[in-house]
């Protein structure tokens, strides 16, 4: 069928129409053929019905002209056989009949003829009739193609049309029946369609339809139906009223479409837009929307609400040590615990929804993830600050339980900041900011704690911001300076080395390291500051040598983050070569904790540094963890006993035991050992008794400027007279 309709269309536009002329009268066949050729047709002749059917096996005309009365297979029978052949159902057939042969005309149409023509020699009339048939065939073919495209489109869109008329009932087209799971032989009435609805939709449908009919309005709604196989589907139904000439309602026409997949996708998009993909908790957008609604309700009803900002302590250590996969697993576990602490609501509160749809403002209560390791608990109604604190303490208690990751237990704590509406802010932005200030105050107080916002905390936050801003400019403004504290060998009265300690001269006042180094580490500024310190120490060593004739070895504290630079070794080498330093002149100190944070990456750089003559020392030894197993792999020359152990010497027996163990360990590994933070003669004497004779601390010399150190060196020896050797 498709081949013939396409050929018919082509014949009218690109070539002469092709005619198959069938007649048993040879003279009439010849005359008719000649006349049609003269009038622009391509003609083939057949002397009977069987010959014509044989020709059609390998040739397709645009029109078949059949003589009705022929011996053997006549025109009627030929036409009937033709209609049963595939592809010839719509081929135009013109039946030639006698002048008054009405019986033949009726038989021609019954056999499937398209039209008839009375035999005559009016060839122009015959040609006109044939051209009319061709145009009609083209139009019919185009209509069929359009119908096929529409049916295909409706099938792809799972859409169908319907019509309803009072008294005649509901008429569903074939595509509409397919959408509702019915075939052509199973029409549906309005009542049967109502029964397809799920019970929750059926109850509301009858009054809705009555209201639509009463006001003759458009019907536009999504309905959930249950198909015969038990599946639930969502149908979108649109129907528009039709009116008669007098303006009266005469029925409805419309479409219905299966939109189940689209709704599922929309629901998924809505969920992704409102909930965190990793934890499933409400995200920042959803939390802010809920918080805004909660504040509106609190202001209208005159009660308090609270925001709790929850930040995990040292979460970066988990990510850096175990990897992001384990970090994500930890966040999921934390989210599950938070759900148990807050009556979490999974309802999507979309801004498009009317707030009245929420059963109660308490349904806004939720715990969500702001991002990273930050969570928020929204309490839309609390009696007082105490109610919010209780929830916060419940959260802290839940966080303290060990978390199982990769078969091992880890302990993760959190810091919680609490802001209460309206006391601590009248908007979500203000409340979040103040809860954040309180949370950072909890971290500053030692972490694993809860802090309620108080106005004086905001002042601390501003001071911290100002300090951070000023620290960013400290390097470029040359505000950083280095002070130097000697390391002395008590037994030989010699200065064995000097440690460079960073100071910040801000507005003419020296800022102590404890005030700005933690901030520098947190912001990442510690890396450029350490690079500056390496260059400055190399310059100062060269200056002491060239101007004062003093040869000193100086140690620089290096943070673990500095090893993230791929050119660290080149940086140290170039600084030493620039000032012509001896290999032993420059040393680097790295804390035990910093060393263990990224050990696999640090070890290769440490080996390269020792190869160029730079000595490596482990600072604050004894305060870290798990380092003993790696000491044999590390190219270190010195262990520094942490001041926390030295401080208790002569007071706590345990401190002496730790120092004794460190000294024994250092001797067995052929390492130097230095005690730092020596403040009293008692500490010095105990250290000497235990076998440590290299020390550093205010008992011998405080940290001083480069000029002061040069003046101090000749005068320091007499102080050793106070040493009482064991």
């Amino acid at each position: 069928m498709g081949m013939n309709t396409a050929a018919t269309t082509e014949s009218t536009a690109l070539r002469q129409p092709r005619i198959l002329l069938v007649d048993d009268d040879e003279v009439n066949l010849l005359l008719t053929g000649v006349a049609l050729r003269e009038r622009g047709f391509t003609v083939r002749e057949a002397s009977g019905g069987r010959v014509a059917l044989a020709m059609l096996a390998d040739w397709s005309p645009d029109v078949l002209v059949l003589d009705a009365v022929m011996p053997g297979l006549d025109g009627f029978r030929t036409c009937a056989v033709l209609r049963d052949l595939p592809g010839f159902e719509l081929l135009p057939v013109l039946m030639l009949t006698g002048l008054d042969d009405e019986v033949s005309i009726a038989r021609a149409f019954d056999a499937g003829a398209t039209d008839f023509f009375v035999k005559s020699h009016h060839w122009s009339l015959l040609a006109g009739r044939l051209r009319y048939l061709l145009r009609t065939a083209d139009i019919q073919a185009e209509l069929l193609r359009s119908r096929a495209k529409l049916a295909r489109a409706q099938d792809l869109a799972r859409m169908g049309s319907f019509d309803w008329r009072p008294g005649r009932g509901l008429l569903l087209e074939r595509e509409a029946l397919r959408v509702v799971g019915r075939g052509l032989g199973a029409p549906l009435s309005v009542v049967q369609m109502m029964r397809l609805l799920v019970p929750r939709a059926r109850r509301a449908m009858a009054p809705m339809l009555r209201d639509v009919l009463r006001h003759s309005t458009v019907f536009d709604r999504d309905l959930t139906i249950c198909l015969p196989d038990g599946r639930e589907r969502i149908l979108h139904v649109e129907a528009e009223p039709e009116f008669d000439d007098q303006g009266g309602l005469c029925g409805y026409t419309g479409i219905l479409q299966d939109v189940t997949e689209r709704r599922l996708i929309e629901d998924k998009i809505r969920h992704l837009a409102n909930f965190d993909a990793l934890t499933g908790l409400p995200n920042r957008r959803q939390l802010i929307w809920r918080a805004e609604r909660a504040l509106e309700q609190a202001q209208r009803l005159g009660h308090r609400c609270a925001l709790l900002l929850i930040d995990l302590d040292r979460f970066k250590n988990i990510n850096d040590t175990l990897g992001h996969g384990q970090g994500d697993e930890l966040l999921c576990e934390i989210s599950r615990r938070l759900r148990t602490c807050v009556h979490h609501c999974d309802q999507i509160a979309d801004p498009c929804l009317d707030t009245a749809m929420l059963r109660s403002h308490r349904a806004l209560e939720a715990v969500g993830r702001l991002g990273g390791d930050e969570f928020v608990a929204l309490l839309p109604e609390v009696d007082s600050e105490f109610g919010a604190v209780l929830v916060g303490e419940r959260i802290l208690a839940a966080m303290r339980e060990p978390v199982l990751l990769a078969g091992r237990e880890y302990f993760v704590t959190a810091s919680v900041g609490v802001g209460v509406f309206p006391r601590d802010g009248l908007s979500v932005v203000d409340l979040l900011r103040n809860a954040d200030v309180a949370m950072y105050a909890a971290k500053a107080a030692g972490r694993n704690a809860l802090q309620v916002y108080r106005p004086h905390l905001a002042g601390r936050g501003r001071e911290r911001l100002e300090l951070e801003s000023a620290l960013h400019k400290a390097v470029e403004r040359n505000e950083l300076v280095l002070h130097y504290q000697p390391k002395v060998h008590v037994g030989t009265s010699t200065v064995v080395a000097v440690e460079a300690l960073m100071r910040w001269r801000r507005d003419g006042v020296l800022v102590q390291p404890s005030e700005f180094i933690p901030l520098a580490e947190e912001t990442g500024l510690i890396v450029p500051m350490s690079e500056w310190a390496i260059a400055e120490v190399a310059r100062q060593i060269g200056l002491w040598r060239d101007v004062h004739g003093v040869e000193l070895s100086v140690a620089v504290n290096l943070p673990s983050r500095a090893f993230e630079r791929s050119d660290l070794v080149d940086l140290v080498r170039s600084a030493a070569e620039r000032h012509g330093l001896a290999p032993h002149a420059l040393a680097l100190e790295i804390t035990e904790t910093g060393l263990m944070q990224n050990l696999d990456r640090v070890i290769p750089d440490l080996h390269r540094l020792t190869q160029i003559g730079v000595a490596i020392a482990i600072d604050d030894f004894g305060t870290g963890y798990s380092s003993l197993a790696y000491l044999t792999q590390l190219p270190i020359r010195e262990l520094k006993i942490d001041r926390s152990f030295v401080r208790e010497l002569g007071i706590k027996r345990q401190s002496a035991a730790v120092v004794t163990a460190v000294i024994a360990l250092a001797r067995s590994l052929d390492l130097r050992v230095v005690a730092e933070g020596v403040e009293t003669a008692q500490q010095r004497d105990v250290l000497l008794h235990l076998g440590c004779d290299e020390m550093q601390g205010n008992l011998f010399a405080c940290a001083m400027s480069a000029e002061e150190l040069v003046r101090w060196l000749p005068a320091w020896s007499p102080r050793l007279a106070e040493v009482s050797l064991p």
Side-chain angles (χ1 to χ4, degrees), residues 464-634:
R464 179 184 175 87
L465 283 175
E466 292 173 2
L467 187 67
E468 182 178 339
S469 177
L471 189 57
H472 273 276
K473 302 173 183 176
V475 176
E476 52 190 69
R477 291 178 177 176
N478 296 318
E479 294 179 351
L480 296 178
V481 295
L482 292 177
H483 281 195
Y484 302 89
Q485 187 173 38
K487 302 176 185 178
V488 301
H489 190 286
V490 178
T492 60
S493 302
T494 56
V495 175
V496 295
V498 175
E499 181 181 359
L501 302 171
M502 192 176 295
R503 300 290 188 267
W504 178 16
R505 185 181 289 112
R506 184 186 182 196
D507 299 329
V509 179
L510 284 180
V511 181
Q512 294 302 309
S514 59
E515 297 183 35
F516 70 89
I517 292 297
L519 181 61
E521 291 176 341
E522 182 180 330
T523 58
L525 288 171
I526 192 66
V527 174
M529 290 167 63
S530 299
E531 294 168 358
W532 170 85
I534 291 172
E536 175 62 17
V537 163
R539 185 194 68 82
Q540 187 60 58
I541 294 173
L543 189 63
W544 281 329
R545 178 197 61 205
D546 298 339
V547 176
H548 301 285
V550 175
E551 297 280 353
L552 286 174
S553 174
V554 182
V556 180
N557 290 290
L558 200 65
S560 61
R561 294 185 65 172
F563 288 89
E564 297 175 2
R565 287 184 58 113
S566 59
D567 60 346
L568 173 64
V569 179
D570 295 334
L571 180 73
V572 175
R573 181 193 291 113
S574 63
E577 292 176 350
R578 189 180 306 117
H579 299 283
L581 303 184
H584 64 275
L586 197 60
L588 296 177
E589 294 184 4
I590 180 171
T591 64
E592 183 184 9
T593 303
L595 180 69
M596 297 305 299
Q597 284 180 353
N598 199 3
L599 188 64
D600 293 338
R601 179 162 185 165
V602 168
I603 287 179
D605 284 343
L606 293 183
H607 281 287
R608 293 175 60 200
L609 287 167
T610 55
Q611 288 171 4
I612 64 174
V614 177
I616 306 296
I618 296 183
D619 199 8
D620 301 337
F621 188 78
T623 61
Y625 52 91
S626 303
S627 60
L628 296 181
Y630 294 94
L631 282 179
T632 57
Q633 304 177 33
L634 297 173

Side-chain angles (χ1 to χ4, degrees), residues 488-494 681-695 699-700 716-717 719-726:
V488 301
H489 190 286
V490 178
T492 60
S493 302
T494 56
Q682 182 183 22
Q683 295 167 355
R684 177 199 61 199
D685 294 344
V686 172
L687 287 167
L688 285 171
H689 178 74
L690 295 176
C692 177
D693 49 14
E694 291 191 16
M695 306 178 198
L699 178 65
F700 309 103
W716 82 281
S717 298
R719 298 189 60 187
L720 289 180
E722 302 174 8
V723 175
S724 54
L725 297 176

Side-chain angles (χ1 to χ4, degrees), residues 21 25-37 121 123:
L21 186 61
D25 186 336
E26 293 184 4
V27 175
N28 193 45
L29 191 64
L30 176 62
L31 294 175
T32 306
V34 171
L36 292 178
R37 288 188 183 94
H121 296 294
W123 310 121

